[in-house]
Amino acid sequence: MTNGSALFSIKRLLLGRPIPSYAALHERLSKKTGLAVLSSDALSSVAYATEEILRTLVLAGASAIWLATPIGAVIAGLLLVVAFSYRQTIFAYPSGGGAFIVAKENLGAPAGLVAAAALLIDYTLTVAVSVAAGTAAVTSAVPALQAWRLPLTLLFVALLAMGNLRGIRESGRIFAVPTYFFLVSLMLMIARGAWLAVRGEIPPPEVSDAAVATGVTTLTPFLVLRAFANGCTAMTGVEAVSNGVPAFEPPESRNAAATLLIMAGLCVTLFLGITLLARTFGIIPAHDETVISQLGRAVLGGRGLAYYLVQAATMLILVLAANTAYSDFPRLSSVVARERFLPRQFMNQGDRLAFTNGILVLSGLAALLLAIFRGDTHKLIPLYMVGVFVSFTLSQAGMVVHWRKERGRQWRLHAAVNGVGAVLTAVVMVVVAATKFHEGAWIVVVLIPILVLHFLAIRRHYAKVAQQLTLEGYVPPPRRHHIVIVPVGDLQRAVVEALRYAKTLSTDVRAIYVDVDPWATLDFHKKWEEWGQEIPLFVLSSPYRSLMEPLMGYIDEVTGGNEDTFLTVVLPEFVPAKWWHHLLHNQRALLIKGALLFRANTVVTSVPFHLRG
Amino acid sequence: MTNGSALFSIKRLLLGRPIPSYAALHERLSKKTGLAVLSSDALSSVAYATEEILRTLVLAGASAIWLATPIGAVIAGLLLVVAFSYRQTIFAYPSGGGAFIVAKENLGAPAGLVAAAALLIDYTLTVAVSVAAGTAAVTSAVPALQAWRLPLTLLFVALLAMGNLRGIRESGRIFAVPTYFFLVSLMLMIARGAWLAVRGEIPPPEVSDAAVATGVTTLTPFLVLRAFANGCTAMTGVEAVSNGVPAFEPPESRNAAATLLIMAGLCVTLFLGITLLARTFGIIPAHDETVISQLGRAVLGGRGLAYYLVQAATMLILVLAANTAYSDFPRLSSVVARERFLPRQFMNQGDRLAFTNGILVLSGLAALLLAIFRGDTHKLIPLYMVGVFVSFTLSQAGMVVHWRKERGRQWRLHAAVNGVGAVLTAVVMVVVAATKFHEGAWIVVVLIPILVLHFLAIRRHYAKVAQQLTLEGYVPPPRRHHIVIVPVGDLQRAVVEALRYAKTLSTDVRAIYVDVDPWATLDFHKKWEEWGQEIPLFVLSSPYRSLMEPLMGYIDEVTGGNEDTFLTVVLPEFVPAKWWHHLLHNQRALLIKGALLFRANTVVTSVPFHLRG
């Protein structure tokens, strides 16, 4: 183990000491930390939802902007309906009622897989969008950093990955401070904005050089629907609490339900507050500054301390919002993997109790998305929402079936609540897919069935393997003979070691020498008498100087397709002191291993010879 | 072998059928094919040498161009001196008198290694420069291809590599036609140019839009030296024949010497002819057209059939000039490898008798150079010449010592001829290094000592390894005990196969199970009774769920640092039907192999289990 110890030390330094299994139960969330960890996604989306509405409306000119207020009100209402709908899931599924489980149990496995695919896409986009928007908060406050947008986003992803590999409890502790910091500073900003509005002290709206194109199209119902669809980003993240129920302290369901309702209330307040203020202060979206930043400057009197605090809080909550996905993606992928629809490596828990592979895959995919879309929030948003609303719809529809099957107390009421949620989210899903199709939603529409087909293929593969591996009714084939072959080129210590090792393996050991030069062969014979360990030597001729072809021919011949014969090929192998020394030695062993890899009943064994210096 | 057969078929198709060893002697060159194969480098350099002189002189204005004629005459004289100097080497070293061998035998091993480093760099640059210049001939004739310059150069390198992997005789046949085509067409162009000049029918010089900057500096002696240094590219390739003596038909030396002199004569004629014509027709170098192309248009009356034939011939000879290096680089690297200064893989001859690895390394390095310098001849030239003249100088100086040691008939005369060659090439070497230092020559000046240090390090490594491997005085250590360990996770067919295999290896076989979950362990115990093959089972506990740490701890304990104990770890290993199925299975075997790689007296054996579908 000496060799790996430096690597282990680095891992410890970055990720902390290992946590024993019996500590698993203690890694739970209180309501306060639960709100911080699981609601940052939902809360933070208010930082860009208003802007997405305004950016669409303004295409039809500044006069269309008044529509932001009614659209915002509709979305806020929807958000509350969906939150109450999910509250029922929390009690019905105290062990974690993700859309995957609810859809699978009530609507059947295919619906569950569609939900799982939608959710995995959704979580990945949560990371990408939140990190991109958080970086936009930074570059709005410090325009000099504009050129570093993409590297900044990738740095944030790396930090998130590391934080989460350390384990869940510390995540809660790290993220509680920024969440509450964001809540307080935004509430104060909204309050001050309202105060100014009441007193009529509203500064004249500024006209930015970088304002987005206005009045390039006419106000159509389709445009209003697009603005609505964009605004629905405010609803993303509502489901996070119901997925994370088992992470709460007992009583899990009660704590989770309370957290969910607090979160929904805060969300609606912030979203409506920002939307109304933006209207009141006449904000027009710009290319290089976020709406929140413009609003902050207008309300707080330019780039002062208060402004910078709001921007810092927004940046922190956004980048940390991605952390919701870092709780959920690895957990969901481990659940899907347990049912054999994803590679089983997603089930591995590292020594800090985190699902290491899920965290790494999520980070890789999010970084890839950010690189492709150059870290631009507005380009990522159209991809984001299809997955979210597919899972909303399937989850709520599944709950309706659940209540019908259970027929418990007040089941009709419960079913009605979820039914309204299902219908409303289904409508939004169609609106989003239709209005954003060309801007990127098509990617997700195509990706979901592809993912589902892969889930099914993986499950089939595991089933086939299990069938081939089962011990039920297995009768091991009789094995009469074990032949050991040692190909030898020249004679030196490494070869002698290999020959001595081979002799311990079987009574039928044969050395094979390929003759490419008669003089060398003569020399070899002399040395063999002294060092050959009394092993029978077979000399094969090779007119084309190939070593492989005669050797493979001999092996085919000696085993003769006989299922009963088991063959071991023993090779001496240098282990150099430095890896690049491999370049100085022939890689024949590798060739022989490659050629024999797919032969039945054949084992290739390397006897290492360790070189010094 | 079934698995590799498709690959083998493709190889056959590209490279031809294998050639048996006894056919080696027949793969020899006649004078005619020898001239084609070995002189294309020297001949083709006339295609850019004149241009390199003009491009430098023109920096001091059009009035400085007259200096091209005297500079050309000096270079032609030098070329003849060096050719006669090399003619002596051919007779003194009939088995191939490359600078490496001549310098090593007469000036000592360090000088030989410097020569070898210089030559290997030189050959690589021959490929890069010739291919770049050949591509320039194409883009001069067809300006639309200008944008495809780099991909074209890489395509040419790939074609050359393939041609040479097919073997040397076919190289001769392929390359004879273009060499003679080039000679004839250039001679005819020069003759027609001379005829026009005599009759005074010279068209007025055109002024190209893309003419290189003129008159940006004053005419200094340094500039004249730079022009001279650039023109000395005409001399590159003169040594090729003397390196290739053993490739000629017997009598090798006589044939090679005759070939060398014919080549030198042709070279001088072409170089002076082009230089004089360029002066007479008032050619000014341009960015997007070669001097040869401008001359062709002026002499042959615009872009007609004759013009395109000359361009085609120039392109062919240039790209094929690289072939000289494809004969010499692999041969020299195999010689250096035989003396253990380079990895021994350079000695491997493929089944078509070509030095496969040398050809591949040369192609890779040349492609890299072309990519770095965007396929631009003028940027590569400054790197080219240092290596050439270092090897010229060392080779000629070595010959002087050779004659002094031998003291044969007329030795003073022989020594004097080589002595003059040595002094002249040494002067040019200093001029080249000094005048081109900042433009890239410094790279080679730095690279040569670095390469020499690597040669020495490689030789030291092989010496150390040989010492560790020698059987002289070797007493194999006694070996009392062979322990076989099988780590088991769950029980299925692959594990049972591995257990059964392990039982055949030793009488001391132990199965190791790591307990991470007491319920699973209980289950396992029950199955073990039925399927454990009566092998003793050791259960290790692991509070941190790690599999590796308890296993490694047990192995350390059981062997107890005892040199006499030999350990084999047997692992079941899935061989999936499709490579990407590896992603669906845990790679624990790989982890265990990695952890045990550097342990003494330890063999890790995988028992493959072949999965279907």
Side-chain angles (χ1 to χ4, degrees):
Chain A
M1 297 303 287
T2 50
N3 202 267
S5 65
L7 214 68
F8 277 124
S9 311
I10 295 171
K11 189 178 159 196
R12 284 294 143 259
L13 192 71
L14 291 176
L15 305 184
R17 304 168 57 78
I19 301 173
S21 302
Y22 58 74
L25 199 67
H26 301 282
E27 301 280 337
R28 292 295 188 87
L29 303 167
S30 70
K31 271 190 292 233
K32 223 169 61 187
T33 52
L35 185 70
V37 171
L38 297 172
S39 76
S40 53
D41 178 14
L43 290 176
S44 69
S45 52
V46 306
Y48 47 84
T50 302
E51 177 162 356
E52 295 297 328
I53 299 176
L54 293 176
R55 286 176 78 94
T56 310
L57 289 175
V58 91
L59 292 174
S63 63
I65 284 190
W66 70 270
L67 278 165
T69 311
I71 289 176
V74 171
I75 292 171
L78 259 176
L79 199 156
L80 289 176
V81 171
V82 172
F84 273 95
S85 197
Y86 267 111
R87 188 175 167 277
Q88 301 199 140
T89 309
I90 287 175
F91 288 102
Y93 287 88
S95 65
F100 170 58
I101 290 176
V102 174
K104 188 174 68 99
E105 289 196 1
N106 299 300
L107 306 174
L113 293 179
V114 171
L119 281 171
L120 291 174
I121 293 171
D122 170 21
Y123 295 144
T124 310
L125 281 157
T126 299
V127 176
V129 168
S130 303
V131 165
T135 307
V138 175
T139 56
S140 291
V142 189
L145 288 174
Q146 200 83 39
W148 295 86
R149 187 168 66 177
L150 185 56
L152 271 176
T153 62
L154 299 180
L155 177 70
F156 283 135
V157 170
L159 289 176
L160 279 166
M162 214 162 71
N164 279 278
L165 289 172
R166 291 186 68 100
I168 189 168
R169 164 89 89 157
E170 293 195 331
S171 307
R173 244 185 268 148
I174 291 176
F175 300 136
V177 178
T179 303
Y180 290 106
F181 176 32
F182 174 75
L183 278 172
V184 170
S185 57
L186 269 231
M187 289 295 187
L188 288 177
M189 182 180 84
I190 291 169
R192 181 170 160 81
W195 172 248
L196 289 177
V198 167
R199 296 185 38 155
E201 293 175 4
I202 296 171
E206 58 180 40
V207 181
S208 165
D209 296 344
V212 297
T214 62
V216 295
T217 179
T218 54
L219 188 67
T220 59
F222 185 79
L223 196 78
V224 175
L225 281 179
R226 259 178 70 193
F228 166 76
N230 281 340
C232 286
T233 43
M235 294 170 65
T236 58
V238 173
E239 82 292 353
V241 174
S242 76
N243 294 341
V245 181
F248 277 89
E249 284 171 3
E252 289 89 349
S253 291
R254 296 258 301 271
N255 284 329
T259 307
L260 173 62
L261 292 187
I262 296 166
M263 179 185 89
L266 291 169
C267 234
V268 166
T269 312
L270 291 179
F271 174 58
L272 284 180
I274 290 168
T275 305
L276 287 170
L277 275 191
R279 283 279 299 116
T280 311
F281 284 76
I283 304 292
I284 304 284
H287 278 304
D288 54 359
E289 188 175 4
T290 63
V291 164
I292 296 279
S293 168
Q294 293 181 62
L295 199 57
R297 284 195 295 112
V299 171
L300 304 169
R303 294 181 195 265
L305 178 63
Y307 163 82
Y308 283 113
L309 284 177
V310 168
Q311 285 303 109
T314 311
M315 183 274 279
L316 281 174
I317 190 81
L318 274 164
V319 172
L320 302 181
N323 197 58
T324 309
Y326 271 98
S327 306
D328 285 332
F329 184 103
R331 193 180 292 125
L332 177 60
S333 56
S334 84
V335 170
V336 177
R338 203 184 312 133
E339 310 223 348
R340 306 204 158 195
F341 290 114
L342 270 179
R344 64 180 69 194
Q345 287 92 322
F346 283 106
M347 288 162 65
N348 298 355
Q349 270 182 307
D351 54 16
R352 299 275 303 174
L353 288 175
F355 293 106
T356 317
N357 290 315
I359 291 170
L360 295 176
V361 168
L362 173 63
S363 305
L365 291 175
L368 185 71
L369 274 174
L370 286 167
I372 291 173
F373 292 96
R374 317 302 301 163
D376 187 338
T377 319
H378 312 300
K379 290 195 182 128
L380 286 162
I381 289 278
L383 281 77
Y384 192 13
M385 319 248 300
V386 177
V388 176
F389 282 91
V390 165
S391 71
F392 278 176
T393 307
L394 286 171
S395 169
Q396 302 309 320
M399 286 307 295
V400 175
V401 175
H402 171 83
W403 300 121
R404 274 201 57 187
K405 280 198 295 197
E406 283 225 333
R407 292 182 184 267
R409 210 161 59 86
Q410 290 189 300
W411 73 268
R412 278 170 212 278
L413 177 67
H414 288 312
V417 171
N418 284 125
V420 170
V423 171
L424 289 178
T425 51
V427 170
V428 176
M429 174 181 75
V430 172
V431 169
V432 167
T435 59
K436 320 290 293 173
F437 195 79
H438 290 289
E439 290 164 63
W442 67 269
I443 298 174
V444 178
V445 171
V446 169
L447 205 55
I448 288 177
I450 290 179
L451 271 176
V452 170
L453 289 177
H454 275 89
F455 291 158
L456 295 171
I458 288 168
R459 166 99 142 196
R460 260 199 313 279
H461 173 78
Y462 281 130
K464 266 194 211 164
V465 168
Q467 208 181 359
Q468 291 171 55
L469 288 178
T470 180
L471 290 174
E472 228 159 281
Y474 178 53
V475 184
R479 199 157 282 159
R480 276 195 288 264
H481 200 56
H482 183 197
I483 302 178
V484 176
I485 283 180
V486 192
V488 286
D490 50 354
L491 271 171
Q492 22 84 335
R493 288 192 194 187
V495 174
V496 172
E497 287 300 290
L499 290 169
R500 294 178 67 218
Y501 178 78
K503 270 193 86 166
T504 69
L505 301 186
S506 169
T507 49
D508 185 353
V509 182
R510 308 165 188 207
I512 308 295
Y513 180 83
V514 178
D515 169 18
V516 289
D517 170 357
W519 295 106
T521 307
L522 215 69
D523 266 9
F524 181 83
H525 268 296
K526 274 184 233 152
K527 268 176 137 180
W528 184 258
E529 274 169 39
E530 187 179 357
W531 295 104
Q533 311 295 319
E534 286 155 25
I535 292 171
L537 178 69
F538 292 75
V539 177
L540 312 176
S541 71
S542 174
Y544 299 111
R545 297 168 310 285
S546 163
L547 299 171
M548 293 296 290
E549 287 172 41
L551 180 63
M552 295 300 139
Y554 180 81
I555 286 175
D556 283 342
E557 195 186 295
V558 85
T559 53
N562 194 342
E563 276 276 321
D564 302 354
T565 309
F566 209 97
L567 182 76
T568 298
V569 177
V570 173
L571 299 169
E573 187 176 45
F574 290 144
V575 181
K578 304 199 174 67
W579 68 266
W580 54 267
H581 286 170
H582 275 297
L583 294 174
L584 302 177
H585 301 280
N586 277 320
Q587 303 301 323
R588 296 236 172 79
L590 225 61
L591 270 181
I592 295 177
K593 276 185 198 175
L596 292 173
L597 185 61
F598 292 96
R599 260 188 78 94
N601 296 321
T602 306
V603 171
V604 180
T605 292
S606 297
V607 182
F609 187 92
H610 296 86
L611 294 174
R612 298 179 302 277
Chain B
M1 297 300 288
T2 50
N3 201 268
S5 66
L7 215 68
F8 276 124
S9 311
I10 295 171
K11 188 178 160 197
R12 286 293 145 260
L13 192 71
L14 292 176
L15 306 184
R17 304 167 55 79
I19 300 173
S21 302
Y22 56 76
L25 199 67
H26 301 283
E27 301 280 338
R28 292 294 187 88
L29 304 167
S30 70
K31 270 190 295 231
K32 225 168 61 186
T33 52
L35 186 69
V37 171
L38 297 173
S39 75
S40 53
D41 179 16
L43 289 176
S44 68
S45 53
V46 306
Y48 47 83
T50 302
E51 177 163 353
E52 295 297 328
I53 299 175
L54 293 177
R55 287 176 77 95
T56 310
L57 288 175
V58 92
L59 292 174
S63 62
I65 284 189
W66 70 269
L67 279 165
T69 313
I71 289 174
V74 171
I75 292 169
L78 260 175
L79 199 157
L80 290 177
V81 171
V82 172
F84 274 95
S85 198
Y86 267 110
R87 188 174 167 277
Q88 301 199 139
T89 309
I90 288 174
F91 288 102
Y93 286 89
S95 63
F100 170 58
I101 289 175
V102 173
K104 188 173 67 98
E105 289 196 0
N106 298 299
L107 305 176
L113 293 179
V114 171
L119 281 171
L120 291 173
I121 292 170
D122 170 20
Y123 295 144
T124 310
L125 281 157
T126 299
V127 175
V129 167
S130 302
V131 165
T135 308
V138 175
T139 56
S140 291
V142 189
L145 288 173
Q146 200 83 40
W148 294 87
R149 187 168 66 177
L150 186 56
L152 271 177
T153 62
L154 299 179
L155 177 71
F156 283 135
V157 170
L159 289 175
L160 280 165
M162 214 162 68
N164 278 278
L165 289 171
R166 291 186 67 101
I168 189 168
R169 164 90 88 158
E170 293 195 331
S171 308
R173 246 186 266 146
I174 291 176
F175 300 137
V177 179
T179 303
Y180 290 107
F181 175 34
F182 175 74
L183 279 172
V184 171
S185 57
L186 269 230
M187 288 296 187
L188 288 176
M189 182 180 84
I190 291 169
R192 182 170 158 81
W195 173 246
L196 289 176
V198 167
R199 296 188 33 157
E201 293 173 3
I202 295 170
E206 57 180 40
V207 181
S208 165
D209 296 345
V212 297
T214 62
V216 295
T217 179
T218 54
L219 188 66
T220 59
F222 186 79
L223 195 77
V224 176
L225 281 180
R226 257 177 74 192
F228 165 76
N230 281 341
C232 285
T233 44
M235 295 170 65
T236 58
V238 174
E239 82 294 352
V241 174
S242 77
N243 294 342
V245 181
F248 277 89
E249 284 171 2
E252 289 89 350
S253 291
R254 295 261 300 272
N255 283 329
T259 306
L260 173 63
L261 291 188
I262 296 166
M263 181 186 88
L266 291 169
C267 235
V268 166
T269 311
L270 291 178
F271 174 58
L272 284 180
I274 290 168
T275 305
L276 287 170
L277 275 191
R279 283 279 298 118
T280 312
F281 283 76
I283 305 292
I284 304 283
H287 278 305
D288 54 358
E289 189 175 2
T290 63
V291 164
I292 296 279
S293 170
Q294 292 182 63
L295 200 56
R297 284 195 295 110
V299 171
L300 305 168
R303 294 182 195 264
L305 178 65
Y307 164 81
Y308 283 113
L309 285 177
V310 167
Q311 285 303 109
T314 310
M315 183 273 279
L316 281 175
I317 190 81
L318 274 164
V319 172
L320 303 181
N323 197 59
T324 309
Y326 271 97
S327 306
D328 285 332
F329 184 103
R331 194 180 290 125
L332 177 60
S333 55
S334 83
V335 170
V336 176
R338 203 185 310 135
E339 310 222 349
R340 309 205 154 191
F341 290 113
L342 271 179
R344 61 180 71 194
Q345 286 94 321
F346 283 107
M347 287 162 65
N348 297 356
Q349 270 183 305
D351 54 16
R352 299 274 304 171
L353 288 173
F355 292 107
T356 317
N357 291 316
I359 291 171
L360 295 176
V361 168
L362 173 62
S363 305
L365 292 175
L368 185 70
L369 275 174
L370 286 166
I372 291 173
F373 293 96
R374 317 302 301 162
D376 187 338
T377 319
H378 312 300
K379 291 196 183 126
L380 286 162
I381 290 279
L383 279 79
Y384 192 14
M385 319 249 299
V386 178
V388 176
F389 281 91
V390 166
S391 72
F392 278 177
T393 306
L394 286 171
S395 169
Q396 301 309 319
M399 286 306 295
V400 174
V401 175
H402 171 83
W403 300 123
R404 275 198 58 188
K405 281 197 294 196
E406 284 226 334
R407 292 181 184 267
R409 211 161 58 85
Q410 289 189 302
W411 73 268
R412 279 170 211 279
L413 177 66
H414 288 311
V417 170
N418 284 123
V420 171
V423 171
L424 289 179
T425 51
V427 169
V428 176
M429 175 181 76
V430 172
V431 170
V432 167
T435 59
K436 321 290 293 174
F437 193 79
H438 290 289
E439 289 163 63
W442 67 269
I443 299 174
V444 178
V445 171
V446 169
L447 205 55
I448 288 178
I450 290 179
L451 272 177
V452 170
L453 289 177
H454 275 88
F455 290 158
L456 295 171
I458 288 168
R459 165 99 142 195
R460 261 199 312 278
H461 173 78
Y462 280 131
K464 265 195 212 161
V465 169
Q467 209 181 356
Q468 290 171 57
L469 288 178
T470 181
L471 290 173
E472 229 159 277
Y474 179 52
V475 184
R479 199 156 283 159
R480 276 194 288 262
H481 201 55
H482 183 196
I483 303 177
V484 176
I485 282 180
V486 192
V488 287
D490 50 353
L491 271 172
Q492 22 86 336
R493 288 192 194 187
V495 174
V496 172
E497 287 299 290
L499 290 169
R500 295 178 66 220
Y501 178 79
K503 271 193 85 168
T504 71
L505 299 186
S506 170
T507 48
D508 184 352
V509 181
R510 310 166 184 205
I512 309 295
Y513 180 84
V514 178
D515 170 19
V516 289
D517 170 358
W519 296 105
T521 307
L522 215 68
D523 267 9
F524 182 83
H525 268 295
K526 275 185 231 151
K527 269 176 136 183
W528 184 258
E529 273 168 39
E530 187 179 357
W531 294 103
Q533 311 294 319
E534 289 154 23
I535 291 171
L537 178 69
F538 292 74
V539 176
L540 312 176
S541 72
S542 174
Y544 299 112
R545 298 167 310 285
S546 163
L547 300 171
M548 293 296 291
E549 288 172 41
L551 180 63
M552 295 300 139
Y554 180 81
I555 286 175
D556 283 343
E557 193 186 298
V558 83
T559 53
N562 193 342
E563 276 277 321
D564 301 355
T565 309
F566 208 97
L567 182 75
T568 298
V569 177
V570 173
L571 300 167
E573 186 176 47
F574 290 143
V575 182
K578 303 199 175 66
W579 69 264
W580 55 267
H581 286 170
H582 275 297
L583 294 174
L584 302 177
H585 301 281
N586 277 320
Q587 302 302 322
R588 297 235 171 79
L590 224 61
L591 270 182
I592 295 177
K593 277 185 199 176
L596 292 173
L597 186 61
F598 291 97
R599 260 187 78 92
N601 296 323
T602 305
V603 171
V604 180
T605 292
S606 298
V607 181
F609 188 91
H610 295 87
L611 295 174
R612 297 179 304 275

